[in-house]
């Protein structure tokens, strides 16, 4: 419920804090006192259009904060959860308007878009006036309200789940059909590619090995020439190995006389001779292994170029060719198995569609039964509200299959006729200003427990009526206030007397400026206010007596 409204520098209000309680709160005051400013301020906090004219003259900006107390399980909190806005003990919607008309919006002091503020406001407060009404006038809300009135929430949820399951498989079937159609169109190409890659038979790491072979074959003559020169240096004349052996023999003959000084020299030269011999053997073997056959080079290049040409053709790296062949084969297998998989999807889709239709049609039948109860309940409320010639009806029309959706197979709308024999039509288009507010009141009384909006505001719902009709309006507002918080701006003493709480809006001059104020009334002050509403500016004894009668009758 709305707990507090704080207004700063809005039109005729300089600084004002208004506390609200649960039940029926009536706001009264003379014409022009500022009741509309209060509603405009509340609308601003709820995301209504900002206007520079709202900022009090001479001020740079104005602001409005609306603080709410909500139960922890109220559906509104889901809006904050979806926006990652932290919950707090209370909820505060705030709007700041600059003198140039620009505005900023906040929820729990976190900056938000005006669109989000408006969404939040619509979930918290519903304002009904003669010319500005929302909520029930929007046909989008009618289906949910009808389901809530008939306790059909679980079946509506089942219908939504069944529709989504059906549509998910339908999308899968359509995607499978498109993929299979494309695969069939590419089947001949795929078979050709698989055959081509099978013949090519690319191997893992083959490109790198072929490139290395090609490099060796291209430089074979240079390798042979260099190795031959090295061999000549090692073996020309007597050769390094022979010279080392001769040197060893000379040293070995005198080794005993050297008293061990030559042992390490002899050992080192002996190893050098051995390594030299091994080196010459390895050099000869490497020389013999050099391939100088140009046909071998041609074969290697032909293979390497074939692999690279295939990679370019398919726009992949050579290393990916083995896997590419596997992918092509998998696509071919999918073509062959596609008919079976597609048939299974079609059967599943048909079954899910049938299940949705059964659930939706059962829900539709229960909605029609619920609609009859709702229509009777609302029509019973119309006569006491001086709308006896009017008719309320819930219209339920079958949708074409193409228009079925997760809410079912029906189009649901609340419609009225204001005169006997006149055709039904949308409430907002058929009802006049005064009738509209009373229609909303009748609907709200019946749908109070089905609608999650915790605070309702009625602006002069009693306009143009009096006597028994005004008393009936007051009675129904009081009845409605047993389920939700109700704020009503009224000029009717019968409605004013019904309030659980009474606020009076007044206007006075303060330091040369006109300022609007709002304050709660005591029991004695309330009697005077009801008397003023009965008799006008001059309050008579009879008016006070009538006021007492009205207040005591509640």
């Amino acid at each position: 419920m709305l707990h507090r409204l704080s207004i700063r520098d809005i039109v005729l209000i300089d600084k004002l804090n208004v506390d609200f309680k649960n039940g029926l709160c009536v706001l009264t005051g003379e014409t022009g006192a500022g009741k509309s400013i209060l509603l405009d301020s509340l609308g601003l906090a709820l995301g209504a259009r900002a206007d520079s004219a709202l900022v009090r003259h001479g001020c740079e900006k104005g602001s409005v904060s609306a603080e709410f107390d909500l139960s922890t399980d109220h559906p509104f909190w889901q809006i904050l959860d979806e926006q990652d806005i932290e919950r707090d003990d209370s909820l505060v919607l705030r709007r700041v308007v600059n003198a140039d008309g620009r505005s900023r919006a906040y929820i729990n002091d976190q900056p938000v878009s005006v669109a989000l503020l408006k969404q939040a406001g619509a979930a918290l407060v519903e304002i009904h006036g003669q010319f500005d009404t929302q909520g029930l006038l929007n046909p989008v809300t009618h289906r949910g309200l009808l389901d809530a009135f008939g306790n059909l929430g679980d079946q509506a949820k089942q219908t939504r789940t069944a529709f989504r399951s059906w549509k998910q498989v339908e999308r899968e079937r359509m995607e499978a059909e498109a993929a299979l159609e494309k695969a069939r169109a590419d089947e001949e190409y795929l078979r050709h590619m698989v055959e081509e890659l099978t013949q090519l038979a690319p191997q893992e790491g083959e490109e790198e090995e072929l490139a290395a072979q090609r490099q060796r074959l291209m430089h074979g003559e240079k390798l042979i020439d260099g190795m031959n020169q090295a061999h000549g240096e090692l073996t020309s004349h007597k050769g390094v190995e022979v010279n080392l052996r001769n040197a060893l023999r000379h040293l070995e003959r005198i080794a005993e006389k050297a008293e061990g000084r030559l042992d390490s020299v002899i050992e080192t030269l002996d190893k050098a001779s051995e390594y030299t011999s091994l080196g010459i053997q390895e050099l000869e073997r490497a020389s013999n292994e050099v391939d100088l056959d140009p046909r071998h080079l041609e074969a290697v290049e032909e293979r390497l170029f074939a692999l690279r040409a295939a990679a370019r053709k398919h726009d992949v790296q050579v290393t990916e060719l083995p896997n590419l062949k596997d992918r092509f084969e998998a696509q071919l297998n999918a073509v062959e198995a596609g008919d079976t998989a597609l048939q299974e999807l079609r059967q599943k889709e048909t079954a899910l569609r049938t299940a949705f239709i059964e659930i939706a049609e059962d829900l539709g039948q229960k909605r029609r039964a619920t609609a009859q109860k709702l229509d009777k309940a609302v029509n019973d409320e119309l006569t006491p509200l001086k709308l006896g010639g009017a008719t309320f009806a819930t219209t339920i029309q079958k949708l074409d299959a193409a228009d079925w959706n997760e809410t079912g197979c029906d189009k649901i709308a609340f419609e009225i006729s204001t005169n006997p024999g006149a055709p039904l039509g949308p409430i907002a288009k058929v009802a006049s200003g005064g009738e509209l507010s009373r229609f909303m009141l009748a609907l709200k009384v019946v749908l109070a427990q089905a609608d999650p909006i915790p605070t309702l505001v009625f602006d002069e719902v009693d306009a143009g009526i009096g006597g028994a009709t005004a008393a009936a309006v007051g009675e129904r507002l009081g009845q409605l206030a047993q389920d939700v918080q109700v704020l009503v701006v009224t000029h009717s003493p019968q409605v004013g007397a019904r309030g659980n709480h009474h606020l009076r809006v007044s206007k006075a001059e303060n330091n040369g400026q006109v300022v609007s104020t709002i304050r709660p009334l005591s029991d004695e002050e309330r009697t005077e206010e009801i008397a003023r509403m009965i008799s006008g500016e001059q309050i008579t004894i009879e008016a006070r007596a009538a006021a007492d009668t009205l207040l005591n009758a509640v």
Side-chain angles (χ1 to χ4, degrees), residues 39 53 150 325 369 407 418 482 536 548-549:
L39 294 185
K325 174 177 172 290
T407 65
T418 54
Q482 295 176 10
D548 281 331
T549 301

Side-chain angles (χ1 to χ4, degrees), residues 59-315:
C59 297
E60 295 181 357
K61 62 182 179 181
S63 67
V64 182
S65 296
E67 182 178 347
F68 295 85
D69 288 334
L70 295 178
S71 62
T72 56
D73 60 347
H74 193 277
F76 170 82
W77 295 115
Q78 185 177 349
I79 297 176
L80 295 196
D81 293 341
E82 291 172 353
Q83 299 297 325
D84 292 328
I85 298 176
E86 291 187 6
R87 299 189 184 190
D88 206 340
D89 293 338
S90 61
L91 171 70
V92 179
L93 308 187
R94 184 162 65 95
R95 188 83 170 278
V96 179
V97 184
N98 295 331
D100 59 6
R102 290 181 299 177
S103 71
R104 301 185 302 278
Y106 303 86
I107 296 180
N108 284 353
D109 283 333
Q110 181 169 327
V112 297
S113 67
V114 174
L116 178 58
L117 187 71
K118 188 172 184 178
Q119 180 187 359
L124 296 169
V125 179
E126 191 170 293
I127 300 176
H128 297 286
Q130 293 190 64
F131 309 106
D132 183 13
T133 313
Q134 56 184 16
L136 285 172
L137 292 187
N138 185 355
V140 173
T141 67
H142 296 174
R143 181 184 288 104
L145 289 170
L146 180 65
D147 289 347
F149 180 76
N151 294 317
L152 302 176
D154 289 342
Q155 284 186 277
K157 185 177 180 180
Q158 292 174 8
T159 302
R160 181 165 57 252
T161 299
F163 180 82
R164 290 176 178 174
S165 298
W166 164 37
K167 287 300 175 180
Q168 174 62 32
V169 174
E170 182 184 62
R171 286 191 293 272
E172 292 176 4
R173 187 263 304 164
M174 294 172 66
E175 291 172 358
E177 283 181 340
L180 184 59
E181 183 178 353
K182 184 178 185 302
R184 282 173 176 162
D186 295 341
E187 183 175 6
E188 184 177 347
Y189 168 78
L190 289 171
R191 293 192 184 280
H192 176 70
M193 290 301 100
V194 169
E195 182 179 351
E196 186 179 86
L197 289 172
T198 300
Q199 293 176 357
L200 184 62
Q203 303 299 315
E204 192 73 31
E206 187 178 5
E207 180 191 24
E208 185 177 349
E209 176 59 30
L210 287 172
Q213 286 186 40
R214 180 170 178 259
Q215 285 294 105
R216 290 195 298 271
L217 289 169
M218 290 176 65
H219 301 300
E221 293 184 359
K222 290 183 179 180
L223 292 172
I224 287 293
D225 183 57
M227 286 188 285
N228 286 341
Q229 289 184 26
H231 190 273
E233 293 292 337
L234 291 170
T235 59
S236 61
H237 304 297
K238 292 181 180 181
V240 173
E241 185 179 6
V242 173
N243 290 333
L244 284 171
R245 292 295 177 190
N246 289 339
L248 279 169
R249 280 196 297 273
H250 289 303
L251 293 173
E252 287 171 351
R253 283 198 296 270
I254 63 174
E256 291 181 2
K257 299 176 182 181
E259 298 178 352
R261 295 191 192 102
L262 296 176
D263 290 351
S264 62
V265 176
I266 292 171
E267 183 182 357
T268 300
L269 291 177
D270 185 53
K271 290 181 179 179
S273 175
E274 183 181 350
Y275 285 137
T276 300
S277 176
L278 289 173
I280 292 172
Q281 292 175 22
E282 291 293 331
L283 180 59
E284 290 172 349
R285 184 161 44 252
S287 178
N288 291 332
E289 290 177 353
V290 174
D291 190 349
L292 296 177
D293 187 349
R295 291 174 299 177
H296 191 193
L297 173 61
E298 182 179 349
V300 169
E301 288 186 332
E302 183 178 350
R303 176 65 178 173
L304 179 62
F305 295 160
L307 290 172
R308 289 177 174 173
R312 286 194 301 273
K313 179 178 181 179
H314 297 290
D315 194 24

Side-chain angles (χ1 to χ4, degrees), residues 525-545:
E525 290 173 326
R526 192 176 180 197
T527 301
E528 286 296 298
E529 177 66 6
I530 298 297
R532 180 197 63 78
M533 296 168 71
I534 293 173
S535 64
E537 186 176 349
Q538 296 295 327
I539 302 177
T540 63
I541 296 174
E542 292 78 10
R544 289 190 180 93

